[in-house]
Amino acid sequence: MPKVPPPVYVAVGLAAQHLLARGRRPTVVRSVAAGLLAAGSVCVAGGAARAFKHKDTTFNPLEPEGATAVVTEGPFRYTRNPMYVGMAGLLTAHAVLRGGWLPLVPVAAFVAVIDRTQIPAEEQALSWSFGDAYDSYRSAAPRWLGPRRGPRTSSAGG
């Protein structure tokens, strides 16, 4: 299991974006677009936090084995990883604010690292803990974003 908290990757990405777009000043249009994207990203991540709290389960990504329920409500209906979608959205919003293509590189790096290290470890732990309930949800909801596949799952877990 990775031992780097995902928000650390976000902080590194923000610093890299700042360096990659040094000297660029935000325009009004980029500021508004970035603000809207950031607000939406915070809503997605906040909705995930509320759903975790509603199910009274952990959302510590470094200890997924501590989860007591499979959460499928709120933004989890559209993505298995709304917290990471929210973090990627915040990085994207900052890239828009900074302007240019180079600030998007840390967004791609964040998604790649999370997708290849953090998420597989979490999925393995959740599959081990919840078996068919999690596996059914995993087969129905996309890892990042996209249409649901198969029957809708409303709730599972203990």
Side-chain angles (χ1 to χ4, degrees):
M1 176 57 104
K3 295 297 179 194
V4 177
V8 170
Y9 293 125
V10 174
V12 169
L14 290 169
Q17 288 174 324
H18 182 75
L19 293 173
L20 290 168
R22 199 177 352 206
R24 297 195 82 162
R25 298 273 183 208
T27 65
V28 172
V29 171
R30 286 199 326 253
S31 296
V32 169
L36 291 171
L37 184 54
S41 298
V42 168
C43 285
V44 169
R50 283 189 301 280
F52 279 127
K53 185 173 178 159
H54 178 71
K55 285 289 194 174
D56 196 27
T57 190
T58 184
F59 60 91
N60 181 348
L62 302 182
E63 297 177 3
E65 63 279 357
T68 58
V70 176
V71 181
T72 61
E73 291 85 20
F76 289 93
R77 292 176 295 181
Y78 308 103
T79 172
R80 295 193 312 266
N81 297 286
M83 301 292 272
Y84 299 138
V85 169
M87 290 178 200
L90 287 173
L91 279 170
T92 303
H94 190 245
V96 168
L97 182 68
R98 302 300 298 175
W101 292 104
L102 281 178
L104 291 172
V105 171
V107 179
F110 171 80
V111 169
V113 167
I114 294 297
D115 191 67
R116 298 295 172 223
T117 62
Q118 187 68 40
I119 292 174
E122 290 176 17
E123 289 178 339
Q124 183 179 17
L126 293 170
S127 183
W128 185 85
S129 294
F130 299 105
D132 289 342
Y134 179 73
D135 293 340
S136 175
Y137 169 66
R138 184 168 66 182
S139 70
R143 180 179 269 186
W144 287 96
L145 288 173
R148 286 184 67 87
R149 303 171 300 273
R152 270 194 108 145
T153 304
S154 63
S155 172

